[in-house]
């Protein structure tokens, strides 16, 4: 691009925060910027084929919009979750939808019997079998949370049933051989964490099923 002819954006860009499902329908993330504002800046200040760098890229709005506008989007963020989400969004453009659907269907078929059994166990029964679950599945470290938190440790953010169900799901996803498809299914699994936990909330004006992304932001 000839930098001598670049014109500044002088008009107001009304933010469309929910307009692109590629950003708002895949995975919750805090501080996500309106895609249409970012898109207009990319179109105005770069040309197709050029590189667009966002060193504080968050969940990949800049990189993904650059890619869709025939630029090379370069994504980086200090938060590993942000880079995980942006990588997954990019992979969605590379893989056939039918292959992704097949992976989801197979995963669901494999976990359904055990998940159905878990539904009917009380927290007391799950507590009694807890050591068995710990030895059978991989759980995240039960790290201590900041002293001003409402609960003491990470596992306290979930019921035992939620923790075991999530562990069962993740263990099955890890068996997927194709690394790129596995990444996408893990992205879907990670997105469920915003609802499968004790911090689930329904904000005023939102459908109850939508809840919030509090576990990722508070």
């Amino acid at each position: 691009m000839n930098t001598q002819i670049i014109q500044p954006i002088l008009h107001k860009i009304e933010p469309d925060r929910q307009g692109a499902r590629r950003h708002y329908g895949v995975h919750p993330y805090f501080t996500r910027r309106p895609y249409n504002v970012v898109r207009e800046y990319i179109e105005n200040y770069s040309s197709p084929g050029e590189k667009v760098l966002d060193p504080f890229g968050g969940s990949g709005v800049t990189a993904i919009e650059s890619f869709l506008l025939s630029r090379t989007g370069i994504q980086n963020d200090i938060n590993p979750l942000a880079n995980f989400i942006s990588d997954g969004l990019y992979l969605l453009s590379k893989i056939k939808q039918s292959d992704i659907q097949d992976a989801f269907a197979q995963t669901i078929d494999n976990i359904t019997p055990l998940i159905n059994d878990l539904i009917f166990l009380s927290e007391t029964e799950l507590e009694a079998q807890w050591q068995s679950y710990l030895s059978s599945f991989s759980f995240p470290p039960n790290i201590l949370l900041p002293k001003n938190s409402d609960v003491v440790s990470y596992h306290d953010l979930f019921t035992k049933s939620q923790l075991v169900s999530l562990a069962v799901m993740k263990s099955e996803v890890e068996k997927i051989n194709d690394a790129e498809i596995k990444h996408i299914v893990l992205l879907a699994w990670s997105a469920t964490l915003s609802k499968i936990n004790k911090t689930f909330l329904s904000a005023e004006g939102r459908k109850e099923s939508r809840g919030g992304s509090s576990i990722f932001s508070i």
Side-chain angles (χ1 to χ4, degrees):
M1 171 175 282
N2 185 347
T3 57
Q4 294 181 342
I5 62 172
I6 294 177
Q7 298 298 316
I9 297 175
L10 299 177
H11 61 276
K12 182 179 180 181
I13 308 172
E14 292 293 343
D16 182 8
R17 295 190 177 278
Q18 302 292 332
R21 293 178 63 187
R22 58 185 171 273
H23 299 297
Y24 292 91
V26 178
H27 197 295
Y29 193 80
F30 56 99
T31 70
R32 183 175 274 136
R33 301 306 177 197
Y35 85 98
N36 64 310
V37 177
V38 173
R39 189 179 183 91
E40 190 156 339
Y41 268 75
I42 294 169
E43 288 182 302
N44 190 74
Y45 293 112
S46 69
S47 297
E50 293 187 332
K51 296 180 175 66
V52 178
L53 167 66
D54 190 343
F56 308 97
S59 59
V61 174
T62 301
I64 297 302
E65 293 307 310
S66 298
F67 168 70
L68 294 174
L69 291 169
S70 301
R71 278 75 165 168
T72 298
I74 303 174
Q75 157 82 15
N76 186 55
D77 198 277
I78 195 172
N79 187 348
L81 176 63
N83 298 320
F84 170 76
I85 293 171
S86 58
D87 285 346
L89 288 171
Y90 169 69
L91 289 174
L92 284 169
S93 71
K94 293 181 57 180
I95 301 173
K96 290 194 301 184
Q97 185 175 348
S98 59
D99 291 341
I100 298 172
Q101 290 173 331
D102 289 345
F104 274 114
Q106 186 63 57
T107 301
I108 291 170
D109 286 345
N110 291 345
I111 66 174
T112 294
L114 184 50
I115 296 295
N116 285 343
D117 289 341
L118 287 170
I119 290 172
F120 297 102
L121 293 179
S122 67
E123 286 293 296
T124 301
E125 291 172 314
L126 283 166
E127 185 71 49
Q129 300 180 42
W130 186 240
Q131 291 304 316
S132 173
Y133 289 124
L134 285 176
S135 62
S136 301
F137 301 101
S138 175
F139 291 84
N142 192 22
I143 60 173
L144 294 177
L145 297 179
K147 292 183 179 179
N148 62 345
S149 301
D150 293 331
V151 294
V152 175
S153 62
Y154 180 70
H155 286 188
D156 295 331
L157 293 171
F158 305 86
T159 66
K160 285 288 192 292
S161 179
Q162 290 171 336
L163 273 175
V164 176
S165 296
L166 287 165
V168 168
M169 294 177 194
K170 189 168 187 292
S171 67
E172 194 61 38
V173 175
E174 293 289 357
K175 297 176 184 177
I176 297 174
N177 291 324
D178 187 291
E180 293 184 340
I181 292 178
K182 180 193 293 186
H183 190 116
I184 290 174
V185 182
L186 276 176
L187 185 69
W189 173 86
S190 177
T192 67
L193 293 172
S194 65
K195 295 185 177 182
I196 306 179
N197 66 81
K198 291 181 180 178
T199 74
F200 179 80
L201 56 88
S202 288
E204 185 177 351
R206 294 167 66 98
K207 293 181 179 180
E208 289 187 1
S209 62
R210 293 192 61 190
S213 58
S214 53
I215 196 172
F216 292 111
S217 58
I218 297 177

